[in-house]
Amino acid sequence: MRRILIDHARRKQALKRGARAERFDLDGLDIACQANGESLLAMNEALEKLAIQDPQSAELVKLRFYAGLNYQEAARVLGVSERSAKRCWSFARAWLYRELSQLRSG
């Protein structure tokens, strides 16, 4: 599903022939992906960087953001406790906020 969304976003952005910085609302990550193409591309780039630093947190974000799983479901898929999933989510949200802010400004 992630690959399909990213490919669609890339095609859509190619048609626009330009990108503008956009504000990201990370509180909206609690539900399955409803972002526009530019946001998806920025999120994908940030997730790739996060996966290098913390693969488990990146996988949790993918499960929550793209698949729409809740903490309990995502924790079960990852084989961790719900509390661990919440800790990873808190770290990932803060990390992604900082990364997406840098992408916007740079």
Side-chain angles (χ1 to χ4, degrees):
M1 182 56 133
R2 174 180 171 216
R3 194 172 296 146
I4 292 168
L5 290 170
I6 297 303
D7 289 342
H8 175 72
R10 284 185 177 139
R11 279 192 304 274
K12 188 173 179 180
Q13 187 176 28
L15 294 174
K16 291 182 179 181
R17 304 234 187 261
R20 290 182 291 193
E22 179 177 293
R23 184 173 178 92
F24 293 94
D25 180 16
L26 292 179
D27 288 331
L29 294 177
D30 285 342
I31 58 174
C33 181
Q34 295 179 358
N36 66 29
E38 293 172 8
S39 296
L40 284 172
L41 292 175
M43 178 60 79
N44 186 59
E45 184 178 336
L47 275 174
E48 288 173 358
K49 291 179 182 180
L50 178 59
I52 293 168
Q53 183 175 343
D54 187 349
Q56 186 176 37
S57 292
E59 190 62 30
L60 177 67
V61 171
K62 291 174 193 175
L63 291 171
R64 301 221 45 225
F65 185 70
Y66 293 105
L69 300 182
N70 62 31
Y71 288 115
Q72 192 174 42
E73 295 164 334
R76 193 174 327 119
V77 169
L78 293 174
V80 298
S81 69
E82 188 175 344
R83 179 66 188 130
S84 292
K86 287 181 179 181
R87 265 194 311 272
C88 282
W89 181 250
S90 293
F91 166 76
R93 283 183 56 182
W95 193 95
L96 288 169
Y97 177 79
R98 187 184 71 229
E99 184 66 27
L100 292 172
S101 295
Q102 290 174 356
L103 287 174
R104 253 195 336 260
S105 64

